[in-house]
Amino acid sequence: MKIAVLQFEVEFGDVEANIEHVEKVFLNTNLDNIDTVVLPEMWTTGYDLENIQKLAMDNLEPIKGVIQRLAKKYSVNIIAGSVANTKGEGVLNTSFVVNRDGEFIHEYSKIHLVPMLNEPKYLVGGKNKAEVFELDGEKMGVVICYDLRFPELFRDLALDGAKIIFVVAEWPIERTAHWLTLLQARAIENQCYIVASNIIGKQPTGTEFAGKSIIINPFGEIMNQATSNEEEVLLEQLDMEYINRIRKKIPIFKSRRTNYYKFN
Ligand SMILES: NC(=O)CCC(=O)C(=O)O
């Protein structure tokens, strides 16, 4: 599976400009032979939470149509980062996935809202757990930013067969060390690929974002990593068989003693 991870600066509160920008990145990147493109968290709006009610998508429209069109045009699967999304009782932070035929195949709304960026004041948390989905016959999952601090979520996905876990993020620069350490830990403990897309730049709220989008293998090694201040596209080929080799060598899933854990 060949992956392209997009890292860019989000225009605060400017949905149109951000969509236009992503369309340009697709156009200017050689996506021949790429299977899956990954976008970051809240990429249509940034953390413009004061205006989020009016900036949010309406049950993922119209952004779903934009992503479906891009997926078909470039024949790529798209992990569409996440967007502010009005559904039911409020605005959710919703991630979604479209396959290369333009079919909508997965949706997950962030269950852990991040207090440090004021999300609980403006957004509502998702009510469903992160589930595994399939692209090109491979099982995978997606979680959103602050979710990274909750290993249970990753373990559940891995136990359900996820071989790649995507982390879509707007992770601040002041906690870059946590970003890198936690992503590597999640890869090592779950022996799966971790593919993470983060944004760069400083938003008018004063928060500066870390960049450092990254692709980590199931042994915890960094395969590719972006800088903290440049727009970049990371391209990497993932060897899906490598997961089996690592799990055979260090059989943690066979060594688990679930009787001794609170959550098993
Ligand atoms: N957008 C986020 O969820 C940021 C998470 C964060 O800042 C942290 O966990 O630290």
Side-chain angles (χ1 to χ4, degrees):
M1 169 147 309
K2 198 153 181 209
I3 305 275
V5 180
L6 273 49
Q7 168 172 302
F8 53 90
E9 182 160 0
V10 168
E11 288 295 326
F12 193 71
D14 194 339
V15 175
E16 229 171 89
N18 289 315
I19 293 176
E20 210 171 289
H21 185 69
V22 163
E23 285 179 331
K24 263 196 209 136
V25 177
F26 270 72
L27 186 67
N28 296 332
T29 306
N30 183 359
L31 294 174
D32 297 348
N33 306 319
I34 293 293
D35 296 300
T36 303
V37 178
V38 191
L39 296 171
E41 182 186 21
M42 294 282 271
W43 63 270
T44 55
T45 55
Y47 269 87
D48 188 357
L49 295 176
E50 303 237 316
N51 296 305
I52 212 68
Q53 300 270 358
K54 72 170 194 289
L55 295 173
M57 298 293 146
D58 180 9
N59 197 10
L60 289 180
E61 295 295 352
I63 197 64
K64 190 160 100 176
V66 172
I67 294 296
Q68 287 176 311
R69 181 171 48 73
L70 286 172
K72 277 200 276 190
K73 180 169 175 189
Y74 295 97
S75 187
V76 288
N77 308 308
I78 303 179
I79 311 296
S82 76
V83 296
N85 179 37
T86 304
K87 196 172 174 180
E89 74 280 26
V91 180
L92 298 149
N93 181 341
T94 303
S95 165
F96 66 100
V97 178
V98 168
N99 72 14
R100 60 175 87 242
D101 297 321
E103 291 164 342
F104 183 86
I105 62 152
H106 178 74
E107 170 176 351
Y108 161 72
S109 293
K110 191 180 192 181
I111 55 179
H112 303 104
L113 298 179
V114 55
M116 298 85 86
L117 296 183
N118 245 347
E119 267 188 337
K121 183 170 170 202
Y122 296 93
L123 303 184
V124 293
K127 298 279 188 293
N128 298 306
K129 71 192 281 269
E131 301 280 1
V132 161
F133 57 89
E134 257 183 56
L135 286 174
D136 299 338
E138 300 290 354
K139 289 189 174 166
M140 47 196 87
V142 59
V143 301
I144 306 175
C145 207
Y146 189 48
D147 284 338
L148 175 58
R149 295 185 183 274
F150 302 86
E152 302 87 344
L153 213 60
F154 289 73
R155 179 62 103 211
D156 278 1
L157 287 168
L159 289 173
D160 287 345
K163 301 263 175 69
I164 308 172
I165 301 178
F166 297 95
V167 182
V168 301
E170 290 206 12
W171 192 281
I173 204 160
E174 63 175 303
R175 295 186 284 279
T176 304
H178 295 189
W179 169 252
L180 297 173
T181 306
L182 292 172
L183 288 166
Q184 271 186 299
R186 297 295 93 88
I188 294 166
E189 70 199 359
N190 294 297
Q191 301 181 311
C192 65
Y193 287 99
I194 296 285
V195 176
S197 168
N198 193 23
I199 69 160
I200 52 167
K202 191 168 185 168
Q203 292 186 2
T205 52
T207 308
E208 189 174 354
F209 292 91
K212 300 262 179 200
S213 297
I214 198 165
I215 301 173
I216 304 172
N217 76 16
F219 196 60
E221 292 163 335
I222 296 173
M223 300 175 75
N224 207 333
Q225 182 178 14
T227 63
S228 57
N229 55 6
E230 272 174 59
E231 173 154 334
E232 281 183 54
V233 180
L234 302 181
L235 301 174
E236 207 60 48
Q237 172 94 40
L238 310 187
D239 172 4
M240 302 310 288
E241 271 306 306
Y242 184 58
I243 296 167
N244 298 334
R245 296 202 292 280
I246 290 296
R247 289 183 180 184
K248 205 166 165 194
K249 199 166 160 186
I250 310 171
I252 58 164
F253 286 96
K254 288 199 178 124
S255 304
R256 294 176 77 239
R257 306 284 305 278
T258 53
N259 289 350
Y260 297 101
Y261 312 148
K262 202 167 255 169
F263 300 101
N264 51 34

